[in-house]
Amino acid sequence: MSAATDHDEAHGSEHGHGSKKSYLVGFALSGILTFIPFWLVMAKPVGNPGLVAILIILFAVAQILVHTVCFLHVTTSGEGGWTLLAYAFTTVLLVITIAGSMWIMYHLNTNMMPGMMTGEVSTTP
């Protein structure tokens, strides 16, 4: 038996850790997915700030997927798919939390009292 097999059996794992290639690919992709948004902000090749924000969010999601696959080794076959299901559930909770927070902040901003936005103080009791 090899040392890796002994390690996997000792820890009750059917699958070994990632390969060196997996880690190197993940590292390279993480570097690229970090550099491109940095360049988009610093060099300003795109004139529309809204488009830049959307691109940064897309690169962030891509980086989350790279980290999940290359470093955390979450796949559909790992532990009968339960790990992937846990990630899907976490994603749904995050989307609900972020969307709800944005909705609440929008409505708080829209429904503020009339003098609050300009800094005026009301003199009525």
Side-chain angles (χ1 to χ4, degrees):
M1 289 183 130
S2 69
T5 308
D6 291 340
H7 175 77
D8 291 342
E9 287 179 5
H11 292 283
S13 174
E14 294 177 6
H15 304 286
H17 298 286
S19 65
K20 192 174 196 179
K21 180 182 176 186
S22 170
Y23 287 122
L24 290 175
V25 167
F27 181 71
L29 286 174
S30 294
I32 291 168
L33 292 172
T34 300
F35 176 76
I36 292 173
F38 179 79
W39 176 74
L40 285 172
V41 170
M42 296 306 289
K44 298 181 183 174
V46 180
N48 185 354
L51 179 61
V52 172
I54 290 171
L55 288 172
I56 290 172
I57 290 169
L58 290 175
F59 279 108
V61 169
Q63 190 154 142
I64 289 170
L65 294 174
V66 166
H67 285 220
T68 302
V69 172
C70 293
F71 299 124
L72 299 175
H73 313 293
V74 175
T75 61
T76 55
S77 62
E79 297 190 24
W82 285 107
T83 308
L84 185 63
L85 186 64
Y87 267 90
F89 180 69
T90 302
T91 302
V92 168
L93 287 179
L94 281 172
V95 167
I96 290 170
T97 302
I98 292 170
S101 297
M102 297 299 287
W103 181 63
I104 288 169
M105 288 188 286
Y106 171 77
H107 283 284
L108 283 174
N109 186 36
T110 304
N111 297 323
M112 292 291 281
M113 292 176 30
M116 298 295 285
M117 296 302 289
T118 60
E120 299 173 10
V121 179
S122 175
T123 59
T124 58

